[in-house]
Amino acid sequence: MSISLIGLDADDTLWHSESHFVATEQRFMELLSPWIESEEAASHLLETERENLRLFGYGIKGFTLSMIETGLAASDGQISSAALGEIVTWGKELLAHPVELLPDVVETIDRLASVGYRLALITKGDLFHQEAKVAESGLADRFEAVEILSEKSPANYQRVLDRMNVSAAEFLMVGNSVPSDVLPVVELGGQAVHVPYHVTWGHERAEGERGNWHELSSIAELPALLGQ
Ligand SMILES: [Mg+2]
């Protein structure tokens, strides 16, 4: 591989994220249990989140508003104001949750930097929250660039590569989401490494032609894949 720039996704690649959403979703399903079954509540919420993405973008604020909207619809307006207040509190708790790095992240990043790779953190979602997490992670100084995109589209990746003066052939993206971290980069002619997280948000699940990218079970395996 003639890679010069490595892009690293953040949520569920460098630090835990989706597991916190899942825990909140469990509480949400319990809250709606007087009106609908858990599975129905989960699928209703996912559908609402998807519909709201183009208005709210990714992140906890949109998730919180989607829980409120789903609660109102699923209870036919019967959900109490106290319960709605509880949902708002969950959203704030999620936003205030400390950053918990995944195992081997720091060692792997330092190893890759020490052998000369340029590193970029490439994430998407709520600018304010993502910036806060990057700062809190203590990892910011290890990256030449921190890119927070509204959507991980091929065009947005290309803009990052142009800014960093790197061709797609020299670019490797590492992340937990096939639709966000793998497929758009492969489409551009870059390389991608999928490192699955133990839970995946419904919207980030996708099938693709396996074999067009690498699969690792841990980020710690990345230096070896690169021959380092
Ligand atoms: Mg991710």
Side-chain angles (χ1 to χ4, degrees):
M1 280 195 241
S2 56
I3 299 300
S4 64
L5 175 69
I6 299 175
L8 289 144
D9 168 53
D11 288 346
D12 302 321
T13 298
L14 302 182
W15 52 68
H16 293 279
S17 173
E18 186 58 24
S19 50
H20 305 150
F21 282 88
V22 170
T24 302
E25 211 174 288
Q26 293 290 339
R27 296 157 87 184
F28 179 68
M29 291 189 292
E30 257 169 58
L31 194 75
L32 292 196
S33 61
W35 301 286
I36 51 173
E37 299 287 332
S38 297
E39 244 173 66
E40 204 189 332
S43 64
H44 192 153
L45 176 60
L46 178 60
E47 199 184 310
T48 308
E49 285 181 86
R50 279 189 159 141
E51 278 170 17
N52 286 337
L53 275 179
R54 69 200 148 84
L55 294 170
F56 302 151
Y58 294 93
I60 289 166
K61 293 169 203 164
F63 174 64
T64 306
L65 287 169
S66 294
M67 281 194 288
I68 291 172
E69 186 178 337
T70 305
L72 284 164
S75 69
D76 203 12
Q78 298 300 303
I79 192 168
S80 70
S81 53
L84 295 178
E86 212 174 325
I87 293 172
V88 172
T89 302
W90 296 341
K92 288 183 178 175
E93 283 171 4
L94 276 175
L95 285 165
H97 200 291
V99 171
E100 298 160 348
L101 294 180
L102 283 159
D104 303 315
V105 160
V106 174
E107 297 79 357
T108 303
I109 290 175
D110 284 347
R111 172 88 191 126
L112 296 172
S114 74
V115 292
Y117 288 106
R118 299 171 69 193
L119 301 175
L121 187 155
I122 306 175
T123 182
K124 71 168 185 220
D126 174 28
L127 180 64
F128 187 81
H129 187 222
Q130 291 291 335
E131 278 181 344
K133 285 195 283 191
V134 171
E136 193 194 330
S137 73
L139 298 175
D141 291 348
R142 291 171 159 88
F143 294 99
E144 183 180 328
V146 173
E147 299 281 349
I148 301 167
L149 310 175
S150 56
E151 183 72 77
K152 283 177 159 173
S153 60
N156 284 342
Y157 274 111
Q158 187 62 58
R159 273 191 278 275
V160 172
L161 297 182
D162 290 346
R163 270 198 292 277
M164 299 192 73
N165 208 11
V166 170
S167 71
E170 300 168 284
F171 176 55
L172 174 83
M173 182 67 195
V174 182
N176 70 298
S177 165
V178 170
S180 294
D181 304 313
V182 171
L183 297 180
V185 174
V186 169
E187 190 182 320
L188 288 178
Q191 302 218 34
V193 176
H194 181 219
V195 186
Y197 186 67
H198 67 275
V199 278
T200 307
W201 180 35
H203 185 68
E204 297 289 357
R205 287 179 207 144
E207 297 301 319
E209 263 185 68
R210 295 197 167 222
N212 288 339
W213 64 86
H214 310 274
E215 289 266 346
L216 296 179
S217 58
S218 159
I219 198 167
E221 297 163 12
L222 193 54
L225 178 76
L226 291 159
Q228 303 298 332

